[in-house]
Amino acid sequence: MKPPILAPSLLAGDHGALAADAAAVAGLGLKWLHLDLMDGHFVPNLSFGPQTLAALRRHGSRLFFDTHLMLSEPHRYVDAFAKAGADRITIHIEPAYDHAAALGAIAALGLKAGIALNPGTPAESLLPVLGLVDLVLVMTVQPGFGGQAFRDDMLPKIAQVDRWRRERSLDLRIEVDGGIDLATAALCRSRGADTFVAGTSFFAAPDRAALAASFRAL
Ligand code: DX5
Ligand code: ZN
């Protein structure tokens, strides 16, 4: 099993002080920062844009920007997010566009490429692109909003992706996102997840250092 990674989601941070929140994440010794981009179309909400990533870089963040594009046309924005400082770009399988070409464009820019699935999307929809990514993001809530309850009916999907990973000797991370706290992360970990996005549970934690240490020990 890959060592666990905690990726705090800046969506749950203070949007008037995002650079300070990113610095606080780095200050705990964490390496990843999850950035949620929404277009008001693929999901019924808006968040921030590439200029936000660029500003975080300008303010000195050297975290690994785990960029989650909840966009109907993610392929149109790959260049912009690459220029803005993304390290990984994860795109959704649901909208109709050339997924393989978009993942290829991400990789050609020297970035890591991930694919995400909504709760209603069967694991099998991943199969055509499984060899093109090094991260599968299994959404454990319907994307669009932080603070929702974890869906434990996603656990079999995590286990299925883990089975394919082992059967096909694929080197990929399995990330979960939505309603993740220490308890739900442990459930996901037991099914093979190794990368944990935490928005509300991280930013509302009374002792973030203790929380980060507990995630490290998952
Ligand atoms: C949901 C986003 C998540 C969100 C998670 O659409 O993809 O990354 O920030 O928030 P919590 O951890 O509060 O469920
Ligand atoms: Zn996300």
Side-chain angles (χ1 to χ4, degrees), residues 9 11-12 34 36 38 68 70 139 141-148 177-180 197-201:
S9 168
L11 187 66
H34 185 81
D36 287 302
M38 304 184 184
H68 177 194
M70 286 163 272
M139 288 305 302
V141 299
Q142 182 64 24
F145 299 90
Q148 305 181 71
D177 181 6
I180 297 297
V197 176
T200 307
S201 70

Side-chain angles (χ1 to χ4, degrees), residues 33-146:
L33 187 67
H34 185 81
L35 294 150
D36 287 302
L37 286 302
M38 304 184 184
D39 65 356
H41 187 255
F42 178 65
V43 292
N45 197 7
L46 299 164
S47 53
F48 30 68
Q51 69 276 20
T52 311
L53 279 71
L56 293 169
R57 290 294 187 219
R58 233 177 14 255
H59 282 80
S61 183
R62 303 189 60 184
L63 289 163
F64 181 88
F65 283 180
D66 180 38
T67 311
H68 177 194
L69 301 188
M70 286 163 272
L71 312 178
S72 293
E73 300 188 303
H75 52 292
R76 292 181 54 202
Y77 300 95
V78 164
D79 281 328
F81 282 104
K83 282 201 189 78
D87 292 294
R88 162 185 304 295
I89 297 182
T90 298
I91 57 182
H92 272 261
I93 194 79
E94 293 83 8
Y97 59 93
D98 187 339
H99 302 100
L103 293 166
I106 294 168
L109 287 162
L111 308 186
K112 304 278 192 187
I115 194 80
L117 305 91
N118 283 344
T121 305
E124 287 69 25
S125 68
L126 281 178
L127 288 172
V129 299
L130 210 46
L132 305 177
V133 297
D134 69 359
L135 179 143
V136 170
L137 169 50
V138 177
M139 288 305 302
T140 45
V141 299
Q142 182 64 24
F145 299 90

Side-chain angles (χ1 to χ4, degrees), residues 6 8 12-14 20-25 28 30 199-216:
L6 170 60
D14 176 350
D21 280 342
V25 168
L28 294 172
L30 295 169
T200 307
S201 70
F202 177 83
F203 281 98
D207 185 346
R208 291 179 189 167
L211 184 72
S214 304
F215 268 90
R216 228 171 264 134

